[in-house]
């Protein structure tokens, strides 16, 4: 989930940079609100990674079904993002954020009591239901927060994105070890109850802080006819697929192959989220200051992601034994490269939309953020479900290699497209 935050402005390398100005009170308050959403949402999302797969396995749930439980969250976020992004003007961005946070926090708390139900089909169905409701609430909050952030910060959104991703990273960093510690100390329920109430605490904060936005209109179909938009969407898909795959499979791999406890697995996952959060503001500033390098950031980041996934297991063709130090090192590289690839994507999508005649308004921001969230969610569904199936049929090593192949394909397609684009410009 990663689930990063992204937004607006016509980033044109030929446009002179606007002089730096002091942030207004409304901009500062919006930063606080968005930071609270990113932080609390990512803690809620990441907290179950260290212990839930093993807990579900005790209840007779297969690895493939565990992957599907993780993946259904993303599938519902995909559908919710497309629908809510289309109707953000009619519903209202502020109402969507507040209502989404309320629904997501409630379903997080409910998920904490599923250990009380009987094993088998009932447990699986209730997992699906609560995850679906949680995902719809999450998609409402995130999709509208993208649009509001872009509206409030129209001239330096990548920098703001980088700042926001610090709190995304903090949530992802603290979530797994906090979840593992609370689970080991107090049992299954407390991690979800604690994080659910933490997320609920952001409801009154955002109700008070967030501004109301101004509406306008545009079309999803027209947005999706641009090849560059579709290519960036595939890049986003591979990023979220890799993250979703690790969420569903890494803990069992670490417990069985590396002999780690649930608490240690939570610490292991910091190797992914810490470099992501630390590098986000740096790449955000670079993306805003040098718009022309964004496309190559996505290419280099994609290639590095591909290599690191292949060595995460590592792939059996390398004949290298799975070792803790290698896994930690590759997770650090994955976190860094995912950040490099992710930060420029939303700004490039917005720039492409404006270059093709989309107006600078909330409707365009809602469409782009809805599309971004939907594609991200599609990857988050694909990664755990397909990755879980491949892990069950083969092993974690081969499944990680598939994720690396997807990242390589996305980077290769970008190289081809950008090379042709540069030739045509010349």
């Amino acid at each position: 989930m990663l689930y990063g935050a992204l937004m607006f402005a016509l980033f044109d390398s030929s446009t002179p940079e606007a002089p730096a100005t002091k942030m207004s009170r409304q901009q500062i308050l919006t930063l606080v609100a968005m930071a609270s959403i990113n932080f609390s949402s990512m803690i809620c999302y990441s907290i179950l990674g260290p212990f839930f797969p093993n807990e579900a396995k005790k209840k007779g749930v297969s690895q493939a079904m565990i992957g599907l439980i993780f993946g259904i969250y993303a599938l519902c976020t995909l559908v919710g993002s497309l629908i809510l992004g289309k109707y953000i003007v009619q519903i209202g961005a502020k109402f969507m954020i507040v209502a989404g946070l309320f629904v997501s926090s409630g379903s997080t708390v409910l998920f904490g009591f599923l250990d009380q139900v009987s094993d088998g089909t009932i447990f699986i169905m209730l997992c699906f239901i609560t995850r679906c409701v949680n995902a719809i609430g999450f998609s409402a909050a995130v999709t509208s927060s993208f649009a509001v952030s872009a509206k409030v910060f129209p001239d330096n959104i990548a920098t703001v994105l980088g700042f926001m991703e610090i709190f995304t990273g903090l949530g992802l960093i603290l979530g797994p070890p906090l979840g593992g510690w609370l689970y080991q100390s107090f049992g299954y329920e407390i991690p979800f109850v604690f994080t659910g109430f933490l997320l609920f605490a952001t409801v009154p904060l955002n109700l008070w802080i967030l501004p109301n936005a101004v509406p306008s209109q545009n079309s999803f179909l027209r947005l999706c006819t641009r090849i560059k938009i579709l290519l960036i969407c595939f890049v986003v898909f591979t990023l979220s697929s890799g993250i979703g795959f690790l969420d569903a499979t890494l803990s069992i791999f670490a417990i069985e192959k590396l002999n780690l406890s649930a608490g240690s697995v939570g610490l292991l996952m910091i190797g992914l989220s810490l470099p992501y959060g630390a590098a986000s503001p740096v790449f955000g500033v670079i993306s805003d200051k040098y718009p022309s390098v964004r496309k190559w950031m996505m290419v280099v980041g994609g290639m590095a992601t591909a290599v690191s996934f292949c060595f995460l297991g590592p792939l059996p063709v390398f004949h290298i034994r799975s070792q803790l130090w290698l896994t930690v090192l590759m997770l650090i590289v994955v976190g860094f490269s995912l950040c490099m690839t992710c930060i420029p994507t939303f700004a490039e999508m917005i720039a492409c939309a404006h270059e093709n005649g989309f107006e600078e308004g909330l409707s365009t921001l809602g469409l782009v953020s809805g599309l971004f969230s939907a594609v991200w969610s599609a990857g988050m569904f694909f990664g755990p479900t397909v990755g879980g199936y491949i892990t069950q049929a083969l092993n974690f090593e081969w499944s990680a290699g598939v994720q690396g192949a997807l990242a390589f394909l996305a980077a290769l397609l970008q190289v081809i497209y950008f090379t042709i684009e540069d030739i045509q410009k010349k």
Side-chain angles (χ1 to χ4, degrees), residues 95 297 348:
F95 175 80
M297 286 172 63
E348 282 294 292

Side-chain angles (χ1 to χ4, degrees), residues 6-23:
L6 315 141
M7 283 62 326
F8 166 88
L10 178 52
F11 294 104
D12 185 353
S13 57
S14 63
T15 303
E17 292 184 24
T21 57
K22 186 178 180 180
M23 284 196 300

Side-chain angles (χ1 to χ4, degrees), residues 110-132:
L110 290 176
F111 198 84
F113 294 96
L114 294 186
D115 65 323
Q116 304 295 328
V117 305
S118 57
D119 298 355
T121 305
I122 296 178
F123 174 78
I124 293 172
M125 292 304 298
L126 289 177
C127 282
F128 279 130
I129 293 171
T130 50
R131 291 283 284 175
C132 288

Side-chain angles (χ1 to χ4, degrees), residues 44-224:
C44 286
Y45 175 80
S46 62
I47 200 168
L48 75 168
F51 62 89
F52 177 77
N54 205 44
E55 191 75 20
K57 202 171 182 181
K58 293 177 184 177
K59 285 185 170 289
V61 184
S62 67
Q63 175 67 70
M65 188 59 67
I66 292 171
L68 194 57
I69 291 173
F70 275 84
I72 196 67
Y73 182 95
L75 181 63
C76 291
T77 304
L78 184 158
V79 176
S81 297
L82 288 175
I83 296 173
L84 296 171
K86 173 65 175 176
Y87 294 103
I88 188 173
V89 172
Q90 290 82 358
I91 298 173
K94 184 174 181 177
F95 175 80
M96 279 175 57
I97 291 175
V98 173
L101 291 172
F102 181 81
V103 171
S104 185
S105 61
S107 54
T108 299
V109 173
L110 290 176
F111 198 84
F113 294 96
L114 294 186
D115 65 323
Q116 304 295 328
V117 305
S118 57
D119 298 355
T121 305
I122 296 178
F123 174 78
I124 293 172
M125 292 304 298
L126 289 177
C127 282
F128 279 130
I129 293 171
T130 50
R131 291 283 284 175
C132 288
V133 174
N134 197 335
I136 293 172
F138 179 78
S139 65
V142 170
T143 300
S144 49
S145 69
F146 284 2
V148 169
S149 297
K151 189 70 177 177
V152 176
F153 299 95
D155 298 319
N156 54 355
I157 188 55
T159 300
V160 172
L161 166 62
F163 177 77
M164 289 297 97
E165 290 300 282
I166 294 176
F167 294 92
T168 298
L170 283 174
L172 293 172
I173 289 168
L174 294 176
L178 178 63
W181 178 75
L182 288 174
Y183 172 74
Q184 286 188 327
S185 302
F186 304 103
Y188 180 86
E189 295 90 352
I190 297 302
F192 298 102
V193 173
F194 174 80
T195 53
F197 278 103
L198 178 66
L199 185 59
F200 180 78
T202 65
V203 172
L205 176 67
N206 285 278
L207 190 62
W208 170 62
I209 286 179
L210 288 179
N212 293 310
V214 181
S216 56
Q217 297 293 332
N218 259 311
S219 164
F220 256 128
L221 181 62
R222 182 177 162 216
L223 182 65
C224 294

